[in-house]
Amino acid sequence: MFSLGSWLPALPGLAWGWALLDALLQGLVGACAVSVLCSLLKVYLYIQCVNNPERQAEKEAIAARRPLLEPLHVLVLTGVLALVGSRVAALVVLEFSLRAVSTILSLGKGAHSSQLYLLCQYSLGCGVSCGLSFLLEGAPHRSWNLALAAGLAGLLALHARRLARHVCALYELHSRARYCGVCILLLAAGHGIPRLLRNALALTFAVADLAAVELINRDFLSTGEAVRFWTPLTICYTLLVVYMQEESRQSTGIGLVLRTVVVRMGGLFILLLTVGRWTDILHVFMSLLGELWCLLRSRVLLESCWRQ
């Protein structure tokens, strides 16, 4: 017994339906992980703006309430992550990992970049999806495990969003009056949020990278096939990282971020035209939409990072 569907009579299309349910649950967990990341970054950036009188306009932009945007973002991202195949999701994870290592090395020892956390949103969703697919492969009651993971992830995302709303509405008052435990804790330790995110993301992507390599390698019947795939992939990703490093030195802004997304997905598209399958091409276009959706949704937070 490997899923909920295994307890039901065999019907045409039933297995496909349960596979789709599993994919939706994996996508939901990934979307909730992205929601938690954005909520914690929103809290951190808002606190930074409160402590700087020159950034009042940024503070108001971050605190602006958009009650329907967050559920819509989770819904859309869940659909995209559920439909994107594990092969393309794995490639997205590996590409971001290489880009993140290059960025961290270029920043220097001890430095960190909040912008990098925002740029990893879609890659984080793909990483969580790949990790779950790999870790739960062949597990008894896979669908029940995914349902439990989705419930816990949704609960965590809900509390993170409530924390962000509380901070944006009452942090200034509570931090001065010193009678709210949450705000007092953030006043004392809010500067440690980037370190918390860095450690959590490092662990998540370490697992995701291992899962991504395994998910890709299982499609090859011989070492020669694997070499013919990994060689052009490594060259392509290396050239993309070099190009993006040069671009980031010359300019900043949302235009640069969107341009690099198009270049990255364009490079992946050309690569998969030669060594991929036709479904991979469709999944690359869906990944492009997912990347753009995440970046446009967090535009206010990105602009705040650039002004720091």
Side-chain angles (χ1 to χ4, degrees), residues 143-209:
S143 298
W144 283 115
N145 295 331
L146 286 173
L148 178 61
L152 294 175
L155 188 63
L156 185 60
L158 180 62
H159 281 290
R161 191 170 63 180
R162 286 179 176 175
L163 173 64
R165 285 204 303 264
H166 175 84
V167 168
C168 291
L170 298 171
Y171 175 78
E172 288 186 87
L173 175 63
H174 287 176
S175 60
R176 288 195 300 266
R178 303 294 178 94
Y179 62 80
C180 172
V182 172
C183 293
I184 292 175
L185 177 62
L186 289 173
L187 182 64
H191 61 277
I193 291 178
R195 183 172 61 254
L196 171 66
L197 292 177
R198 182 173 67 247
N199 295 336
L201 289 173
L203 178 61
T204 301
F205 277 102
V207 175
D209 288 336

Side-chain angles (χ1 to χ4, degrees), residues 11-89:
L11 295 174
L14 190 61
W16 180 88
W18 288 113
L20 178 60
L21 175 62
D22 289 350
L24 286 172
L25 290 174
Q26 285 181 192
L28 179 58
V29 176
C32 289
V34 175
S35 178
V36 171
L37 172 68
C38 291
S39 295
L40 292 180
L41 278 175
K42 185 176 183 179
V43 169
Y44 171 72
L45 292 173
Y46 183 85
I47 293 175
Q48 297 301 306
C49 291
V50 168
N51 296 331
N52 190 343
E54 298 178 357
R55 302 175 63 183
Q56 295 305 304
E58 286 180 55
K59 183 189 72 174
E60 295 174 1
I62 293 174
R65 298 197 62 182
R66 303 174 181 87
L68 296 179
L69 183 58
E70 181 64 24
L72 178 62
H73 174 69
V74 172
L75 182 63
V76 172
L77 193 54
T78 297
V80 172
L81 292 173
L83 295 177
V84 169
S86 59
R87 185 182 176 97
V88 172

Side-chain angles (χ1 to χ4, degrees), residues 235-250:
I235 295 173
C236 178
Y237 279 1
T238 303
L239 292 176
L240 283 175
V241 168
V242 172
Y243 167 78
M244 285 182 287
Q245 289 292 336
E246 291 298 324
E247 283 285 296
S248 63
R249 293 191 186 99
Q250 296 174 9

Side-chain angles (χ1 to χ4, degrees), residues 8 12 35 63 79 85 87 116 119 121 125 129 131 146 155 160 178 183 188 219 222 225 229-230 261-262 286 290 308:
L8 300 177
S35 178
R87 185 182 176 97
L116 185 62
L119 296 180
Q121 291 178 72
S129 182
L146 286 173
L155 188 63
R178 303 294 178 94
C183 293
D219 293 332
S222 65
E225 290 184 7
F229 179 85
W230 284 106
V261 168
V262 173
M286 297 193 65
Q308 286 192 29

